[in-house]
Amino acid sequence: MIRLHCAPAPGNLPAQAADMFCQQFVQTLAEQAAGSIIRRVPADQTEPNSASEVSITLTIDGPQEAHLSARKGPNGEQIDGASHTFDASMASATPRKLKAFADALLKSAPEVSALLGDATNSNPDLIEKN
């Protein structure tokens, strides 16, 4: 299972734009980690419960910048991906552009992508949102 927390949008980005980007990032994760359950969780539920569970936090640093942090398992080391800058603002991006942003963000953090391989289970199409 993958626990995804989307941190609140910074003040200079509308919350709706940040939420749309988070939703697109869920789809990018689903494509990258086929076979995983992806559950959006609040900040207080990001702790992985098992050795194969991955926790990812998506933080939007500004209208054109975001980064990922992740950890696998309850005793895993915290991985902080570098900030990735996009070529346009998320607030004015089309769904296609948001997909490109989400794909680029995950590719910019190969150490986070590497954790996804073991977070699979037997129900590939289940995406939960709490």
Side-chain angles (χ1 to χ4, degrees):
M1 181 170 80
I2 299 170
R3 294 174 177 266
L4 174 65
H5 171 64
C6 294
N12 57 350
L13 183 69
Q16 181 179 7
D19 190 55
M20 288 175 57
F21 182 63
C22 184
Q23 289 175 22
Q24 184 55 63
F25 191 73
V26 168
Q27 293 303 316
T28 294
L29 282 177
E31 292 167 6
Q32 178 75 26
S36 295
I37 294 173
I38 301 168
R39 178 179 291 159
R40 283 183 64 180
V41 297
D44 65 349
Q45 294 179 20
T46 59
E47 185 73 24
N49 289 326
S50 71
S52 63
E53 205 169 277
V54 174
S55 173
I56 298 174
T57 298
L58 165 63
T59 303
I60 298 173
D61 302 311
Q64 292 180 245
E65 189 174 1
H67 74 274
L68 300 173
S69 57
R71 187 168 64 147
K72 182 177 177 190
N75 300 316
E77 181 181 335
Q78 180 74 22
I79 296 170
D80 293 313
S83 261
H84 184 77
T85 303
F86 308 114
D87 61 3
S89 174
M90 287 177 232
S92 60
T94 64
R96 174 178 265 163
K97 193 70 165 171
L98 286 175
K99 175 166 179 26
F101 289 173
D103 291 348
L105 178 61
L106 190 56
K107 286 179 186 170
S108 76
E111 62 280 5
V112 173
S113 293
L115 297 179
L116 300 178
D118 294 328
T120 61
N121 81 24
S122 61
N123 197 349
D125 297 319
L126 182 58
I127 298 175
E128 298 179 5
K129 182 177 180 180
N130 288 344

